[in-house]
Structure formats: structure tokens, C-alpha cells
Amino acid sequence: MTIVMTGATGFLGSRLLRALLATGTATVTVLGRDGTGQPLAARVESALRACGATAGEVLRARDRLTAIPVDLARPRLGLEQAAHRQLAEHADAFWHCAAAISLVGTADTLAPVNVAGTRHLTELAEHAPAHALFVYMSTAYVAGDAPPGAGSPFGDAITGYEWTKQQAEEIVRDWAGRHRRPALVLRPSLLATDRPIPETAAQQPLSMLGTLLAELLEQSPPLLRRALLRKRAGVPRIRLRLQGDPASHLNVVPVEYAVDAMLRLARPPGSTTYHVVHPEETSARVLVSAVGELLPGVELILQPTVDRPNLIESQINPVLANFLQRDWHSRADPGTPLRDTLPDLPAPAAVDSAYILSAMNARLPAPC
């Protein structure tokens, strides 16, 4: 099988690439950017090692991997017409995992990669054999057609990222319908792993949260840092109010489970969409409990509003806002659960406080 893939250096894409190569039959052409001082091929090998590939795996992968630098935002990906056509002529599948990911980015800044880039990938796939499957990696939180509203260019519940992913989904479905091509839209929720992630590797939302918390502690005065990181007998803990909805939930899906499910789902359907989510929601209180494990000198209180926040509260609440101030369950899985679609799929790891603590991968400074 010949596969064309984008996003192979990302958190999910690198793990999908490793799994595809592990089948022993796939040859993969990776499309992406050269890095500063590091060509795409080297970036791909670094990503494979970061997600656990052994030296032997990486060595064997060189025989079945081709890396081609492209620009997703440009017509024909920035390639000459002949090279563009030749790239797709023998492809059996396309895995489009690349995306500009930001919860605060605007549609204008994200659309060149997320929207135009997806259109350019479908145009590439038009040169492939009719059986070639187009797999598009979306998100479980794509928004509906909500009108623009105050406070956000897309209303309170819609981010620019979600809007661009929704538009990209429509491009894929429209393309598949017009050309009668098989397409698969996959919608993972918040991806995570409880395995260590190197600092230089692609991160996931919970590990980025752990990094932000570590940075806040690094910037704190030594006495305050000591008070946050140590619980001393007879000394009251620091009370810290976290702004969020106590009834909200997260859907955190282990990336190992997600990759297994995605490979099982990757068969040529007509045009199908699947949510790749954990069957059990995780309460926001569980996330708060995990953060509390990192800060034993703090009493964390989750409440809807925080009046007159102190210095620490004004710093930490923006960091946690995207996790605690909305219900990530709201658009997680309105369709058929994976356990019904894939009855033989092994169950994912339980996402409890211990899992989230590991997934945050926090490298905290010493208390001083």
C-alpha cells in the first residue's frame, strides 16, 4: 500500500505513521515543511523517536519513507505540475493530519493551512486511482452554523480553529461527492498519553498545560514557589479559586487507543464520519484534582466566577480557561459509539486523576 501523509511530525501524526509502518506493507510519502536547520526527513525521524520508535524501527523506516517538502497553503502545494501529478498517481490512501492548531487563533490566521490546505490536498487526490481513500483528521469539537456573536468572532461556543476545521470537513465531503471518491472524516477529542514526552517533541493539550504550570512556577518568587509546592504541618494551605463550571466535563482520549481505532476504521466507505472519543467523560473536577497533586501547598476551589482575583489567580485562570470554562462534552459524540462500530476494539485506559497527572508530563522546578 502506498500512502501520502501530512502532519507526520505532529503528536497524533507521528504515532499514526509509526503504526502504519509497523504493518510492514505500507510505503509512506510524507508531505510537510523543512525546519530551521533540519530538513523534513530528519524532522520525521526525530518525531518517530520521540513517540517511542527504536533505532531499529527508524532504520527500517528509511527504506519505506519518502519526505517531500511542500507548502500546504500554496496551489499544487508549491510543486511543479508534473511533480504534483506524479506524487498521487500510485497512491492508495491519503492521511491528512496536518493543521494549524490554536484555541485563540482567528479564522483568518488558521484558514490558509486548515481550509486552503485541505482543498489543495483534495486537488492532489484527484490524480490518484479512484479507490484511494482520503482520510481527514478533524476534531470532535467542530461547531455548528452558529451566527457570529459578541465576545468571539464566532459566538461564545465557537473558536476560529473549530470553524476552520468545520469548513475543511465540508470541502472533503463536497469533493468526495462530486468525484465519487471514498472519504473518511475522523473526529478525535482531546488526545493525550500517560507516557513521557520529550521536551522537544510535539505536545498534546494536557502536556502543554503541564508546561504552562511549570513556567508559572519558575516565574514565581522563591518564597511563593516554596509555599505552593510544599505542604507543611500546621500551616494553612494557600486558597486558590479556579474559574470554571463545576459541572463541566472533558473527553480525553488516549492517543494509543485513538490510533488503533483509526487504523481499524480506515477502509474505503462512501463518505463517513466517526467520533474517536473516550466512552467515559472525565469531570473537570478530576482535572482540578490532578493539578492539586502538583501543588500540595494549595487548596483549589472550582467556582463559576472569581471576583477580584489575586496575583496567582490572575495568572493561573487564563491557563486553565480552555479546560474549565466550557463543557468539552457538549459536542463530543452525537453518533454511534466506537464500541458499537468496532466491537473488537480493546477498551481505552481509564482517564482518572492519576492518568491526567501523568499526561501533564509536568517538569516542575524544585521548591527552593
Side-chain angles (χ1 to χ4, degrees):
M1 171 176 281
T2 301
I3 297 167
V4 176
M5 184 177 192
T6 70
T9 58
F11 176 73
L12 172 61
S14 58
R15 288 160 176 80
L16 276 168
L17 175 61
R18 185 186 179 196
L20 289 167
L21 291 171
T23 65
T25 59
T27 59
V28 184
T29 298
V30 172
L31 308 181
R33 297 176 291 104
D34 284 333
T36 303
Q38 190 177 38
L40 177 61
R43 292 181 63 224
V44 172
E45 289 191 5
S46 295
L48 286 172
R49 284 190 288 268
C51 69
T54 65
E57 282 182 81
V58 173
L59 186 62
R60 291 189 295 273
R62 290 175 182 169
D63 294 331
R64 293 191 285 126
L65 267 178
T66 302
I68 299 180
V70 301
D71 185 345
L72 286 175
R74 295 179 59 188
R76 293 200 310 268
L77 310 178
L79 300 172
E80 295 295 330
Q81 187 169 356
H84 182 259
R85 179 181 292 272
Q86 185 178 14
L87 179 58
E89 282 181 340
H90 303 291
D92 297 300
F94 295 80
W95 284 77
H96 181 27
C97 304
I101 300 175
S102 172
L103 294 178
V104 296
T106 66
D108 288 342
T109 60
L110 300 177
V113 171
N114 293 353
V115 181
T118 300
R119 182 178 292 108
H120 296 154
L121 255 293
T122 59
E123 291 168 354
L124 173 68
E126 289 176 20
H127 301 303
H131 71 269
L133 173 65
F134 192 98
V135 183
Y136 175 64
M137 203 62 58
S138 185
T139 171
Y141 307 103
V142 288
D145 296 322
S152 163
F154 308 104
D156 291 339
I158 308 174
T159 66
Y161 173 69
E162 292 167 344
W163 186 85
T164 56
K165 298 298 278 186
Q166 180 204 36
Q167 297 304 301
E169 282 193 13
E170 292 305 313
I171 288 170
V172 172
R173 293 192 189 94
D174 177 69
W175 171 83
R178 285 187 293 107
H179 295 277
R180 297 185 178 182
R181 297 295 189 102
L184 177 65
V185 174
L186 299 175
R187 292 176 170 174
S189 55
L190 296 176
L191 292 158
T193 184
D194 59 350
R195 301 173 188 177
I197 305 175
E199 290 185 66
T200 56
Q203 303 294 308
Q204 38 86 4
L206 289 174
S207 67
M208 288 188 283
L209 171 60
T211 297
L212 287 169
L213 290 174
E215 290 174 353
L216 288 178
L217 288 168
E218 285 279 9
Q219 297 163 9
S220 300
L223 287 176
L224 176 58
R225 187 189 313 164
R226 188 180 305 121
L228 295 172
L229 293 174
R230 286 180 178 171
K231 181 180 179 182
R232 291 182 293 171
V235 178
R237 291 187 296 170
I238 298 173
R239 295 180 78 251
L240 188 62
R241 298 167 297 169
L242 301 180
Q243 184 175 351
D245 181 0
S248 66
H249 292 78
L250 308 169
N251 190 287
V252 179
V253 60
V255 69
E256 298 82 10
Y257 170 81
V259 166
D260 188 7
M262 289 171 179
L263 293 184
R264 292 169 187 251
L265 290 169
R267 55 183 182 271
S271 181
T272 308
T273 300
Y274 290 104
H275 284 75
V276 183
V277 300
H278 199 290
E280 301 294 334
E281 303 294 326
T282 299
S283 167
R285 294 182 183 277
V286 173
L287 174 61
V288 172
S289 175
V291 173
E293 291 288 328
L294 296 174
L295 305 173
V298 177
E299 178 188 0
L300 297 175
I301 302 169
L302 182 61
Q303 58 189 56
T305 60
V306 175
D307 296 327
R308 292 180 294 180
N310 61 34
L311 177 62
I312 306 175
E313 291 168 344
S314 64
Q315 290 180 323
I316 198 170
N317 275 312
V319 173
L320 293 169
N322 285 313
F323 294 96
L324 301 178
Q325 294 181 25
R326 59 182 294 175
D327 191 343
W328 286 97
H329 167 66
S330 60
R331 293 190 296 274
D333 190 7
T336 304
L338 281 183
R339 60 179 174 269
D340 293 343
T341 304
L342 301 172
D344 296 330
L345 179 67
V351 178
D352 51 17
S353 181
Y355 183 94
I356 290 180
L357 187 61
S358 295
M360 283 195 285
N361 202 41
R363 300 173 178 88
L364 301 187
C368 299

